[in-house]
Amino acid sequence: QVQLVESGGGSVQAGGSLRLSCIASGYTGRSIWLGWFRQAPGKEREAVVNIYTGGGPTNYADSVKGRFTISHDNAKNTVYLQMNSLKPEDTAMYYCAAARTFVDWSHGPKDWGRGTQVTVSS
């Protein structure tokens, strides 16, 4: 089981930026998929972006392409989400998630953080 702890959420005005962090533990010695989902009140959970810790592709939702950037620091076992040009529709609880394979990620990760709130005001 992978343990995930998010931080970095907050409130910002439209056009502003935030950086989320997620410290992952419990997967030493292997590469996994890490990334972010979000869920706004009354809406379904949305996959935002993921990254393979072994290097390689990232996958962004169309709604955040060009504005959000995911990165991973192997030495710190931390994944970051840099969010720029934030919009009110980005307001949601953001959850860090982990999966062993991309198929597992597609079917729904089993390991989740508790979430961090992002609020963007107009």
Side-chain angles (χ1 to χ4, degrees):
Q1 185 177 2
V2 180
Q3 292 78 45
L4 304 163
V5 179
E6 306 101 330
S7 62
S11 297
V12 65
Q13 290 190 331
S17 298
L18 284 172
R19 189 177 80 155
L20 306 183
S21 300
C22 173
I23 300 176
S25 59
Y27 68 99
T28 304
R30 55 187 171 94
S31 298
I32 59 173
W33 288 87
L34 289 173
W36 299 87
F37 285 75
R38 66 185 181 185
Q39 188 166 21
K43 294 188 177 181
E44 292 188 356
R45 186 179 65 193
E46 175 188 19
V48 178
V49 61
N50 61 23
I51 188 169
Y52 186 58
T53 62
T58 56
N59 301 282
Y60 291 87
D62 288 342
S63 57
V64 305
K65 282 181 181 177
R67 300 188 298 121
F68 290 12
T69 303
I70 191 170
S71 60
H72 179 252
D73 186 329
N74 280 322
K76 296 182 178 179
N77 291 334
T78 301
V79 62
Y80 303 98
L81 182 63
Q82 178 66 43
M83 304 185 295
N84 298 329
S85 302
L86 282 162
K87 305 175 181 180
E89 52 263 43
D90 293 319
T91 295
M93 184 71 79
Y94 283 70
Y95 297 92
C96 185
R100 291 191 177 188
T101 68
F102 187 75
V103 172
D104 289 342
W105 182 276
S106 300
H107 291 166
K110 293 183 178 179
D111 298 312
W112 295 87
R114 293 188 174 184
T116 185
Q117 178 68 38
V118 171
T119 302
V120 184
S121 58
S122 58

